[in-house]
Amino acid sequence: MGMFYSTAPRRGAEVNFVNVITKSYGALIKFTIVFLGGVLFFYLFTGAVGILGKSMKQHFFPKKLYEKYGSFEIPYVERFFSFLLGEKSFLKTAVFIAVCWLPHFIARYPGIVTVDSEISLLQYYGVTEYTTQHPIIYMQLLGRFADLGNWLGSVSLGLFFLLLIQCVILLLAMTYMVDTMKKFHMPAWLLNTTLVIIGFAPCFTGYIAAFVIDVFYDAFIVLFIIELVWYLFKPEVYFSSWKHPACTIAAVLGMFFRKNGIYVVAIVLLFVAGRELYMILHKKQSMRAALMFLAFLFLPMCVGKINDAALYKKYDAKKISTRAMLAIPLQQIGRYVLNNKDDLTDEEIASIQAVMTYTPEEYAEKYRPYNMDGIKWGFNDDATSEELKAFFQTWFQLFMKHPDTYINATLNQNYCLFSPLKDNIKYYDSTRESLLEIDKVDFSEVYKQNNGNGILKKLTKEYYKRFCDIPLFGLYVNQGILDFLLLSICLYCLFDKNGKLLVVSLPLLLTLAVTFVGPAAHGHPRYTFPIAYAMPLFFGLYLGEWGCGAKKKKL
C-alpha cells in the first residue's frame, strides 16, 4: 500500500503516482488490479451473503454448485429476517435498526460537537461573523436547541433533543428504503444484508450521534432517490396517494442542508425534464403527470433558494464558498509551489499570491498531499474577478510546464475514493478542549460528558476501527468498492440504454463528482455517505427486472 498512498504531511513523503504508473510495468499491472478489482470483490460479497436468505440467485454459480450449496441457510437467521420482513415490516425493521443503533447513541450522549458545528454555534451567538460556509438553517437549529437546553437548565439536554430528531429522520429514511426494496420484490438476501449493514456498519453507527450537517442531508437525499424510483418505475403508485408527492417536496427542501444540494436537484430536474419531453413526444407519458412531477421538484427548490437568500441577507453572511469550489486548482498550485518554486517568475508569484496569500516558503508547512485543509485558510476571500482570472491564466501556464505535478496533486488527494485497498475511516470523537467560549451559554458540561471514557464508548470506538476487518461486510465501508460499483453499473446502464436507472444514479454520481473536486476526501468519508446509504436500493434495481438486461427497456 505504501507505494501508492501516504498520509504523511511533509514533502519528502508524497507519492509520485506518475512515476509509479509509467516507469514500472509491474506497478502498472498492480495498479490496474487494485482499481478494477473492487467490482469483483463486491460481486463476491453479494454472492456470499446469500447465507442470510434462501433466495440466492442461481445465476451466481454453476448449476451443480447451486443445487448443492445454493440453498444453504441458517434456520434461526432465516426465521428472524422472515419475521422482520413479514407483516407490519416497516415498524419491525425500524425497531430493529433503532435497537442496533442504541448503544452508540447512549455511549455518545449528548452527542459529539464537531468543529463545523462549533463554527456554526460561534456564528449563531455572534462571537464570529456569519458566513456562507455552512447553511444558516443548520446554524439556527443548533443554536435554537442549545437555547432550549439553556432555558431548561441543561445545554446537553437541548442538544440531545436535536440529536434525537436527527436520528429519527435518518431512521425513517432508511426504513422507508428497505420497505421500498421489499415492495419492489428485491431478493431476500439483499434485504437481509441491507438490514445488517444499516444496523451495524460504522458509516451509520459512527455518525448518528455526531452533530454534522451530513446526517440530515444524507437522510433527505436517500428520500429523494426513493421518490425518484417510485415515479420512474411505478408512476401509477406514485400518483395514487399524497404520500409520494409530499415526500418528494420534503426531500427537495431537505437538500438545502448542504451547500451543493440545490445543484443536485437542479441537474436531476434538467435530466428529468428532458426525459419527460422525450416520453411525451413518443406518447408514452401524459403532459399532466410530467408537469406535476416537475412542479414537485421545481417549486420547493425555488422556495428553498429564496429562503437561503433571505437568511444570508438577514444575517449579512460573508461569502466564502469560492475556496471550496477551487479546491483542486488550489491544491495543484500548492504542490507546484512546493516542488517547483525555483521555476516561478515574479509575475507568476504575484498572480498566485493575489488569490493565495501564502508565501512560497509557507507552503512547506501548510501543504498536505491528502487534502486541501492545510492551505485553504490562505485563500483571499476578497480576491477580485480580475485577480482570479490572472490566477487561472498562471494555473494553466504552470500545468503546461509540469503536468505531472498537477496529476500527482489530484491523485494524492482523491486516491481513497477509488482504491479497494484503502479504508477511509474517520469517526468523530471529542477528546479535546472546547472551542466554544461563549458568554451567553456554558457548553462545558457538553464537553465534559463527551470526554468521558466509559467502557461502552471504548468498545464502540474499537468496533468502528475493527469493522473493516470483518470478512465481506467490512468491504461495504470501503469507498473504492462502492464508487467503482456505482460507476460500473452506470456504464452498463449507458450501453444498455436504461434511462430510468441512469436518472436514479444522478444524485450518487453528483455526490462522487462534488467529493472529487472538493477540498478533502481522505479523512472525510461522510461526503460519500449518500452512495453508501442508497447503494442497496440502486444495486437491487440493477439486479432486478427493472435493471440492465431486462426484457423491456424503457427510457
Side-chain angles (χ1 to χ4, degrees):
M1 275 299 302
M3 68 182 297
F4 290 110
Y5 187 82
S6 172
T7 59
R10 297 293 179 244
R11 177 179 179 179
E14 296 159 15
V15 178
N16 190 324
F17 280 86
V18 175
N19 285 346
V20 168
I21 297 173
T22 60
K23 295 187 177 181
S24 169
Y25 289 110
L28 179 59
I29 294 172
K30 184 177 180 181
F31 199 77
T32 303
I33 293 173
V34 165
F35 275 79
L36 298 183
V39 178
L40 177 61
F41 291 157
F42 201 92
Y43 275 102
L44 174 63
F45 165 75
T46 57
V49 294
I51 62 172
L52 293 178
K54 61 185 177 182
S55 59
M56 183 188 296
K57 296 289 187 179
Q58 181 173 340
H59 63 255
F60 275 112
F61 300 103
K63 185 176 180 179
K64 290 184 178 180
L65 288 177
Y66 175 77
E67 291 174 350
K68 187 173 182 180
Y69 302 108
S71 61
F72 174 75
E73 62 182 67
I74 304 176
Y76 292 107
V77 172
E78 173 65 21
R79 189 180 306 172
F80 176 71
F81 283 108
S82 295
F83 166 75
L84 284 182
L85 297 168
E87 295 181 2
K88 299 181 180 179
S89 60
F90 192 98
L91 177 61
K92 288 186 288 188
T93 53
V95 170
F96 169 76
I97 296 170
V99 170
C100 293
W101 288 359
L102 190 59
H104 309 272
F105 197 65
I106 295 174
R108 294 182 160 206
Y109 174 88
I112 303 300
V113 182
T114 62
V115 173
D116 286 348
S117 294
E118 288 176 331
I119 293 172
S120 296
L121 286 168
L122 289 171
Q123 293 179 17
Y124 176 83
Y125 286 108
V127 178
T128 59
E129 64 178 335
Y130 271 85
T131 71
T132 60
Q133 182 179 2
H134 302 119
I136 292 182
I137 185 175
Y138 185 70
M139 297 182 198
Q140 292 296 311
L141 273 176
L142 273 174
R144 297 298 172 87
F145 276 90
D147 286 343
L148 173 63
N150 193 44
W151 180 74
L152 292 172
S154 171
V155 178
S156 294
L157 185 60
L159 291 178
F160 179 74
F161 287 153
L162 177 59
L163 193 72
L164 186 61
I165 293 172
Q166 170 181 292
C167 286
V168 169
I169 289 176
L170 182 61
L171 173 66
L172 291 175
M174 301 314 302
T175 305
Y176 185 31
M177 185 184 77
V178 174
D179 186 64
T180 298
M181 293 170 67
K182 177 189 171 185
K183 289 178 179 177
F184 272 71
H185 306 292
M186 293 183 184
W189 66 263
L190 182 59
L191 289 171
N192 300 342
T193 305
T194 300
L195 279 175
V196 172
I197 288 170
I198 295 172
F200 296 99
C203 55
F204 292 97
T205 58
Y207 281 78
I208 54 172
F211 291 106
V212 286
I213 303 170
D214 304 81
V215 177
F216 282 104
Y217 176 76
D218 293 342
F220 284 111
I221 197 172
V222 169
L223 180 61
F224 183 68
I225 292 170
I226 293 170
E227 295 308 331
L228 269 180
V229 169
W230 278 111
Y231 175 72
L232 292 170
F233 293 99
K234 292 190 177 183
E236 70 284 354
V237 177
Y238 182 90
F239 288 110
S240 65
S241 72
W242 59 267
K243 181 183 74 173
H244 294 294
C247 286
T248 303
I249 293 170
V252 173
L253 291 173
M255 300 285 277
F256 284 86
F257 275 100
R258 278 282 294 272
K259 296 287 294 179
N260 59 292
I262 186 174
Y263 302 112
V264 173
V265 178
I267 293 174
V268 170
L269 176 64
L270 181 64
F271 276 84
V272 169
R275 176 188 177 273
E276 298 303 276
L277 180 60
Y278 173 89
M279 296 291 285
I280 291 170
L281 291 176
H282 287 75
K283 299 181 179 180
K284 298 179 180 180
Q285 175 69 293
S286 69
M287 178 74 74
R288 180 175 176 273
L291 290 178
M292 285 181 64
F293 184 70
L294 291 173
F296 296 151
L297 299 180
F298 181 73
L299 294 179
M301 183 181 72
C302 292
V303 170
K305 181 62 177 176
I306 292 170
N307 181 63
D308 260 6
L311 287 173
Y312 288 137
K313 183 177 180 180
K314 177 181 178 179
Y315 294 102
D316 193 25
K318 182 180 179 182
K319 186 176 181 180
I320 62 169
S321 59
T322 306
R323 69 186 182 196
M325 297 171 62
L326 301 181
I328 285 184
L330 294 178
Q331 186 76 343
Q332 291 168 339
I333 286 290
R335 191 180 182 99
Y336 190 101
V337 173
L338 186 64
N339 292 348
N340 306 288
K341 65 180 181 180
D342 295 337
D343 295 345
L344 293 169
T345 66
D346 292 340
E347 183 180 354
E348 289 170 339
I349 292 175
S351 66
I352 292 173
Q353 287 187 316
V355 175
M356 285 298 299
T357 57
Y358 291 146
T359 64
E361 291 73 23
E362 286 179 298
Y363 279 98
E365 179 64 28
K366 304 294 185 182
Y367 177 76
R368 299 291 183 270
Y370 51 88
N371 69 48
M372 180 226 182
D373 284 352
I375 64 171
K376 71 180 182 181
W377 301 110
F379 182 78
N380 179 13
D381 292 320
D382 299 319
T384 65
S385 57
E386 290 299 318
E387 288 171 335
L388 286 170
K389 182 179 178 181
F391 172 84
F392 275 109
Q393 289 176 342
T394 299
W395 172 79
F396 182 74
Q397 292 169 2
L398 298 181
F399 170 73
M400 300 304 293
K401 290 183 181 179
H402 293 284
D404 59 320
T405 298
Y406 279 29
I407 294 172
N408 282 323
T410 305
L411 291 177
N412 269 266
Q413 177 168 302
N414 293 301
Y415 175 68
C416 62
L417 289 175
F418 302 105
S419 171
L421 301 183
K422 181 63 183 178
D423 293 319
N424 187 17
I425 304 172
K426 179 181 178 181
Y427 303 104
Y428 291 106
D429 202 355
S430 188
T431 54
R432 56 181 174 77
E433 297 296 323
S434 168
L435 298 179
L436 295 177
E437 297 180 3
I438 299 171
D439 295 332
K440 299 178 182 178
V441 181
D442 183 10
F443 284 87
S444 60
E445 65 169 295
V446 177
Y447 286 85
K448 184 178 180 180
Q449 290 165 328
N450 278 174
N451 291 328
N453 292 316
I455 296 176
L456 186 56
K457 178 175 286 187
K458 289 181 179 179
L459 290 174
T460 54
K461 286 170 62 177
E462 187 65 21
Y463 169 78
Y464 300 151
K465 296 177 183 178
R466 300 300 180 189
F467 187 88
C468 294
D469 298 329
I470 298 175
L472 301 177
F473 284 99
L475 295 173
Y476 194 86
V477 296
N478 183 286
Q479 284 181 275
I481 292 175
L482 293 178
D483 294 345
F484 263 112
L485 182 65
L486 170 64
L487 295 176
S488 299
I489 293 176
C490 290
L491 184 62
Y492 193 20
C493 290
L494 189 63
F495 284 108
D496 203 59
K497 299 181 181 179
N498 192 316
K500 292 181 181 180
L501 207 51
L502 282 173
V503 172
V504 174
S505 74
L506 282 175
L508 306 181
L509 289 173
L510 291 169
T511 296
L512 182 58
V514 168
T515 307
F516 185 86
V517 302
H522 178 72
H524 296 271
R526 59 192 173 92
Y527 293 152
T528 60
F529 279 177
I531 298 173
Y533 289 9
M535 182 55 71
L537 175 61
F538 182 65
F539 187 64
L541 289 169
Y542 164 73
L543 287 180
E545 59 183 292
W546 310 274
C548 296
K551 293 180 180 179
K552 295 181 180 180
K553 301 169 192 155
K554 298 179 181 179
L555 291 174

